[in-house]
């Protein structure tokens, strides 16, 4: 039987606009592993590394989806605030990982992300100072298009029936 897994949805926050250039799965994975090793030592790193992987990464929005074993989720989540930079091509970009949601399946994380993005867009529209800004935000929203991809069924399964 497969071990139960958890999916941790994070957002990369950085004041450095060039941070997105160094945004690749390998860089995020190394930064998270480094933080786990600093906070929890070799034992924590060993526990977290067994099934740890970066499942999804969006360089435009800064959204990252991490997968780990259910029993190592606490170790992983407690180390995430200690990620302070991403390193890519010998460049270091200061950033932090903001945990948005922890779920039992990728689908629950997707549902959360849709609701989260809706709330963020609503805030963006409410913070517009004039009608021109409002029109620009609405126009950029209408120009967005989504394509639906069929996910692998193995990642959608909730191994232990909880979320």
């Amino acid at each position: 039987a497969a071990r139960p897994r958890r999916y941790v949805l994070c957002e990369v926050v950085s004041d450095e606009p060039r941070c997105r250039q160094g945004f690749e799965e390998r860089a995020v994975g190394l930064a998270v592993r480094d933080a786990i090793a600093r906070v929890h030592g070799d034992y924590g790193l060993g526990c977290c590394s067994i099934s740890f992987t970066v499942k999804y990464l969006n360089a435009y929005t800064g959204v990252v989806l991490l997968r780990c074993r259910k029993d190592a989720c606490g170790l992983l989540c407690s180390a995430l605030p200690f990620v302070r930079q991403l390193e890519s091509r010998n460049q270091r970009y200061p950033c932090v990982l903001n945990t948005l949601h922890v779920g039992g399946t990728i689908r629950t994380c997707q549902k959360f992300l849709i609701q989260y993005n809706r709330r963020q867009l609503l805030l963006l529209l409410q913070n517009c100072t004039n009608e021109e800004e409002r029109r620009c935000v609405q126009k950029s929203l209408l120009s967005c298009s989504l394509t639906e991809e069929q996910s692998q069924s193995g990642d959608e399964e909730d191994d232990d029936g909880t979320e």
Side-chain angles (χ1 to χ4, degrees):
R3 285 190 178 265
R5 294 179 174 152
R6 286 292 171 262
Y7 296 89
V8 182
L9 190 65
C10 301
E11 175 182 45
V12 176
V13 181
S14 178
D15 294 333
E16 176 73 44
R18 292 176 304 153
C19 178
R20 300 279 163 88
Q21 296 169 358
F23 208 62
E24 51 191 31
E25 288 184 16
R26 195 176 135 307
V28 173
L30 287 173
V32 171
R33 282 186 178 93
D34 179 60
I36 294 168
R38 279 185 285 125
V39 175
H40 299 295
D42 291 340
Y43 174 76
L45 185 59
C47 289
C48 290
S49 292
I50 293 171
S51 156
F52 173 77
T53 187
V54 179
K55 288 299 286 179
Y56 172 77
L57 178 73
N58 188 323
Y60 296 104
T61 61
V63 171
V64 180
L65 184 66
L66 307 172
R67 184 190 75 194
C68 66
R69 282 190 2 214
K70 183 181 178 184
D71 56 2
C73 189
L75 291 172
L76 172 66
C77 289
S78 64
L80 289 177
F82 294 92
V83 172
R84 293 283 174 236
Q85 65 187 12
L86 289 178
E87 197 169 330
S88 179
R89 299 180 198 94
N90 296 324
Q91 288 275 11
R92 291 182 179 175
Y93 303 99
C95 66
V96 292
L97 285 182
N98 178 24
T99 303
L100 300 175
H101 180 74
V102 177
T105 64
I106 291 177
R107 185 169 284 134
T108 59
C109 291
Q110 286 173 330
K111 287 178 183 175
F112 173 84
L113 192 56
I114 289 167
Q115 293 303 317
Y116 176 77
N117 286 337
R118 281 188 183 143
R119 286 193 304 270
Q120 295 299 98
L121 288 172
L122 196 61
L123 283 172
L124 192 62
L125 280 170
Q126 287 171 349
N127 291 335
C128 289
T129 53
N130 58 39
E131 198 54 41
E132 180 61 27
E133 274 185 22
R134 193 175 190 79
R135 270 198 301 274
C136 283
V137 170
Q138 288 171 334
K139 186 179 177 186
S140 67
L141 287 177
L142 292 173
S143 69
C144 294
S145 65
L146 289 176
T147 56
E148 204 169 299
E149 265 183 47
Q150 193 63 34
S151 332
Q152 297 172 346
S153 61
D155 288 332
E156 294 299 326
E157 295 304 315
D158 193 358
D159 299 301
D160 61 353
T162 63
E163 296 195 358

